[in-house]
Amino acid sequence: MLKKIPASRLRQGMFIHDLNCSWMDHPFLRNQFLVEDEEMLRKIAEAGIGELYIDTGRGLDVAPEESPGSAPVGGATATFPEKLATGTPALVNEVARAKKLHHEANKLVSGLMRDVRLGQQIEVEQCEPVVEAIIDSIFRKPDALLPLAQVKNRDEYTFQHSVAVAALAAAFGRTLELPRAVIKELAIGGLLHDVGKALVPDAVLNKPGKLTDDEFALMKNHAALGAQLLKKTPGISEIAYNAAAQHHERFDGTGYPLGLKGDDISLYGQMLAIVDVYDAITSLRIYHKGMPPTEALRNMFQWSKQHFSPTLVQAFIKGIGIYPAGSLVRMESGRMGVVREVVPDKLLQPVVKVFFSAEKRCYLPPETVALAECDDKIVAHESFEKWNIDQAAWL
């Protein structure tokens, strides 16, 4: 059982499950450990940690009269009422941090895939600091990291896709108001969901043309291979495992590797299936161009009648916006720009960085426009490839 307690009530013999802060904001090598002495308690106090999560199954509990609210992490309905965001820094500052984080996360996944190819065991603890940082960024300003996750290099798609799925999963968990501890495990599942691809031959994985039936069978097998790898991985949680192992299952039973149907698929598997497909169809890949996010969301809404839970798809769309951050849009005035910030209660009126004239086909002096505060409005989504615009340059 996980419990959130004030750090002032922490004592020796308790097992810390989550320090509830960025890995850069505490002095410990791990986020999970047994409190063994007064020195550890002193370091936690000096780090300024206000609240944290303990695991009463692996260490001491708080005294009954002190017991705060708790909830099991394994169930789909577990919730905590707290808001995880601790402030909203300026977008420009968060983008700088997000770019560094995005680079480090891609390096991590690349290394994990290399280790799997060499027959080495996956170490979940390697993932935790990056996942913590991803969650911190998403809760400070999701519009900083999520657009970066859209930009991919064909040669590094597998690594970058895993990072994007982890970030989208964290954002989705935030929308559903899941506990931070649950979001962390969900994001770890996202980061590791494609580890089975490390065992797929490169000739198949990176083939630019259509796969043969035999090649497609090899590619599909990555889901089963990944599940086998994760099943043997020490420290993998049930949430992370189910999210990763079930990301190709479909609500109507047409998915793989087990052909699970409906609620036989865990909440976390259903969530990861949605974000995996969304990121895949919006990404530039070896064998196809990316679909504009708004068009992708429209298609996923249609597919939700068979492949996904309609309720979850609607929640996902609400969370990332009708025009997600990073989208290229055209306004009624003929100006074009990139969506920089989604306004939750005004999904059709995001903040847009305007920089291009569709009529004159030329660049304009960049201007940030809050559509809720002006007469202009979005009339269409556009493709970066069609207009030969470098998406990364405008994020």
Side-chain angles (χ1 to χ4, degrees):
M1 181 74 75
L2 301 185
K3 289 185 177 180
K4 185 179 182 183
I5 67 170
S8 60
R9 291 182 176 175
L10 190 68
R11 67 180 189 271
Q12 292 181 49
M14 289 183 173
F15 187 90
I16 294 177
H17 177 82
D18 189 337
L19 286 164
N20 200 28
C21 66
S22 168
W23 64 278
M24 295 182 290
D25 295 334
H26 67 74
F28 302 100
L29 295 177
R30 301 178 181 178
N31 258 355
Q32 297 183 355
F33 54 87
L34 182 70
V35 180
E36 298 177 340
D37 51 40
E38 291 292 334
E39 178 66 13
M40 287 186 172
L41 293 172
R42 183 184 64 77
K43 288 182 178 180
I44 289 171
E46 290 178 350
I49 295 171
E51 296 178 305
L52 46 76
Y53 292 92
I54 61 170
D55 186 340
T56 61
R58 302 174 71 179
L60 296 178
D61 197 352
V62 290
E65 66 271 12
E66 296 180 336
S67 183
S70 61
V73 171
T77 58
T79 58
F80 283 114
E82 77 276 14
K83 297 298 181 183
L84 304 186
T86 56
T88 307
L91 180 63
V92 64
N93 293 333
E94 189 59 36
V95 167
R97 299 175 68 169
K99 286 181 177 178
K100 181 179 179 181
L101 169 59
H102 188 246
H103 175 71
E104 293 300 319
N106 284 321
K107 281 175 55 180
L108 171 68
V109 177
S110 175
L112 288 171
M113 300 289 269
R114 181 188 62 246
D115 290 347
V116 169
R117 291 191 190 98
L118 294 174
Q120 297 178 15
Q121 194 170 60
I122 297 169
E123 295 184 17
V124 176
E125 289 181 351
Q126 279 188 293
C127 304
E128 291 183 346
V130 163
V131 167
E132 290 282 3
I134 286 172
I135 295 172
D136 288 340
S137 182
I138 291 296
F139 277 91
R140 282 193 299 263
K141 204 74 173 174
D143 299 331
L145 182 58
L146 293 182
L148 297 177
Q150 293 178 20
V151 182
K152 297 182 180 67
N153 181 304
R154 283 187 173 96
D155 297 331
E156 298 179 350
Y157 170 79
T158 300
F159 316 141
Q160 295 170 339
H161 171 63
S162 295
V163 174
V165 168
L168 286 164
F172 199 178
R174 178 179 184 243
T175 298
L176 296 183
E177 297 186 350
L178 298 179
R180 182 186 175 102
V182 171
I183 294 174
K184 175 184 173 181
E185 300 305 326
L186 176 65
I188 287 175
L191 205 66
L192 298 175
H193 81 288
D194 267 348
V195 291
K197 286 186 177 179
L199 303 179
V200 175
D202 282 342
V204 175
L205 191 62
N206 298 316
K207 184 177 179 179
K210 184 178 179 180
L211 299 178
T212 66
D213 290 345
D214 287 343
E215 289 169 338
F216 187 58
L218 280 174
M219 180 67 85
K220 286 177 62 177
N221 197 39
H222 83 272
L225 292 172
Q228 292 169 16
L229 285 168
L230 294 176
K231 197 74 172 179
K232 298 182 292 185
T233 298
I236 194 78
S237 70
E238 182 181 0
I239 292 173
Y241 174 78
N242 284 337
Q246 297 171 358
H247 77 277
H248 276 299
E249 302 291 353
R250 295 294 178 261
F251 212 60
D252 59 359
T254 59
Y256 59 89
L258 300 179
L260 300 178
K261 186 175 183 179
D263 290 335
D264 289 337
I265 311 169
S266 69
L267 168 65
Y268 314 109
Q270 292 181 44
M271 292 173 69
L272 219 63
I274 290 170
V275 301
D276 174 65
V277 169
Y278 171 76
D279 187 69
I281 63 179
T282 55
S283 298
L284 181 66
R285 303 171 75 175
I286 288 175
Y287 46 85
H288 77 73
K289 293 181 178 180
M291 186 183 298
T294 301
E295 183 180 342
L297 292 173
R298 184 181 297 117
N299 286 336
M300 292 190 68
F301 182 75
Q302 292 297 319
W303 299 337
S304 71
K305 297 173 183 177
Q306 292 87 31
H307 298 314
F308 310 112
S309 160
T311 301
L312 286 180
V313 170
Q314 290 170 30
F316 177 68
I317 294 172
K318 181 180 179 181
I320 68 169
I322 303 297
Y323 300 104
S327 305
L328 182 65
V329 294
R330 176 162 46 88
M331 265 77 71
E332 193 172 50
S333 63
R335 299 183 299 171
M336 289 169 52
V338 169
V339 175
R340 291 310 293 123
E341 297 186 64
V342 175
V343 183
D345 58 344
K346 297 179 180 178
L347 295 181
L348 296 176
Q349 298 173 302
V351 176
V352 180
K353 180 186 284 187
V354 176
F355 61 84
F356 196 83
S357 169
E359 180 181 351
K360 298 179 179 178
R361 302 184 72 89
C362 68
Y363 286 92
L364 303 171
E367 178 186 0
T368 299
V369 178
L371 294 183
E373 300 173 7
C374 70
D375 295 331
D376 215 351
K377 63 181 180 179
I378 296 173
V379 294
H381 61 260
E382 294 287 352
S383 163
F384 286 97
E385 288 77 22
K386 172 186 172 182
W387 293 92
N388 195 29
I389 292 173
D390 180 5
Q391 181 183 17
W394 296 100
L395 298 182

